[in-house]
Amino acid sequence: MKYEAVIGLEVHAQLLTDSKIFCGCSTRFGAEPNTQVCPVCMGMPGVLPVLNKKAVEYAVKMALATKCTMNKKSIFARKNYFYPDLPKDYQISMYNEPLAEHGSVEIETEGGRKKIGITRIHMEEDAGKLLHAETPEEAGSSFVDLNRTGVPLIEIVSEPDIGTPEEASEYLKSLRDILLYLEICDCNMEEGSLRCDANVSVRPEGTTEFGTKAEVKNMNSFKFMRDALSYEIERQIEMLESGERVVQQTRLFDPVEGKTRSMRTKEEEHDYRYFPEPDLLPLVIEDRKIEELRRTLPELPAAKKQRFIKEYSIPPYDAGVLTTSKELADYYEAAVKLSGEPKTVSNWVMGELLRLLKEHSKDIPRCPITPEALSALLTMVSDGRISAKMAKGVFEEMFTSGKDAEAVVKAKGLAQISDAGELEKVIAEVLEKNPENVEKFRTGKEKLFGFFVGQVMKATKGQANPQMVTKLLKEKLS
Ligand code: ADP
Ligand code: ZN
Ligand code: MG
């Protein structure tokens, strides 16, 4: 029997506000433990939460960008559980009246584009962080850092529309791209700004009923997510094949072992004793405000990609790579506007530029070559001053030295010889030195043409303009 996987993701994104969701404490990452806290986020008795307006605006932007329906009214709710990093013993979240519902994003799959449904997006506060002993003196101790307590999050819950680890990865990537384009989350998975829990079950291929799912936590990279899902799918298939039943569980991925292991049996929703947060009013966002936010949405990755394909006639693959970030897309467009050569610029950006950025661990905002400088280099190629091959070396030199093309070409004495007079002189010398081959060529041995080209290139140390050499040689030999 063949099996297929059913996957749904719960993605948490930390919103890039300066202050926390219900108090004025800073959200900055990496501060000394417990230095960004106050009675509200430390869960002291008698305090009152005050909702952060910017956090709401950011959450609405994400809901609009993923085509969700905004709820007229949403309700903050208390989700009760005990954990040492949760001083209030409850998390303020949203329950049966979330901020927005019924959205979708599109992903690329082997079989074409596929729509992944978004069940809901809701707002909530983050919990603190537990730090476990690292030195012998601390052995056996754990510490609580409440700096992260109360940092605003949105949770984006997908429909179980995802079929493979690859698709899950593509889906998470499209969410990440949208969040980055909206500039509402830095999506740093290592620092936990973007976190993902994956629900996965398997069922015999072609059947419609869902199998029992397991929830996998702690996957802080795209690769770990794919590895964890692949492992988990295999594990569940093996269980079914040996006649066992999958139990509903929360499992933890161990990236060192490449395995998932059971953390706890999954708690049921009623365990949390959700009830409306009595200290906060229902959240009602006026239509006027929503429309105002809608107008501030930038062109999103998917739309930009389609526009690049149409406007610049570049292949979908190129458009996909060039729109992975807004900065890269802007860079590309700026260079195209200056040089007017969409496909050539695309080749340079996707090839040399991205390669060098990666090698030097740099990104577009810190790229030493501006779109102007790239365009100037391409003009030197199209004017025949340097060959495309030389241009690669020049580009690399520009990247490492920060100099412009003109300066590099001058310093290296690289300029291509396109001066007809100069080339004619070289050609005349070559023909003079090889009278026998000239004779053979003229009596029919046309293959020797390559030999003459080679001699001219050698005499000019490869700097002769190849098109002109061919043209002039033909004239002289005939
Ligand atoms: P729970 O009540 O356990 O939190 P939900 O119904 O809220 O489950 O769904 C949580 C996530 O799990 C969603 O992303 C959903 O798409 C996904 N999901 C639900 N049922 C299944 C299943 N049988 N297999 C895989 N994923 C599932
Ligand atoms: Zn605080
Ligand atoms: Mg649920």
Side-chain angles (χ1 to χ4, degrees), residues 304 307-308 311-312 328-337:
K304 202 183 272 291
R307 181 170 65 77
F308 276 20
E311 199 170 319
Y312 303 124
L328 186 65
D330 289 348
Y331 184 100
Y332 171 73
E333 288 208 278
V336 169
K337 288 221 168 74

Side-chain angles (χ1 to χ4, degrees), residues 419-436:
D419 181 89
E422 201 173 324
L423 287 177
E424 272 170 356
K425 234 177 20 204
V426 178
I427 289 171
E429 274 166 27
V430 167
L431 299 188
E432 219 165 86
K433 272 193 211 153
N434 298 282
E436 283 166 30

Side-chain angles (χ1 to χ4, degrees), residues 6 8-10 157-160 199-201 210-211 213 266 269:
V6 173
L9 299 190
E10 294 167 284
V157 182
S158 89
E159 289 289 303
N199 297 270
V200 51
S201 62
F210 287 157
K213 70 177 157 68
K266 165 100 184 151
E269 240 151 44

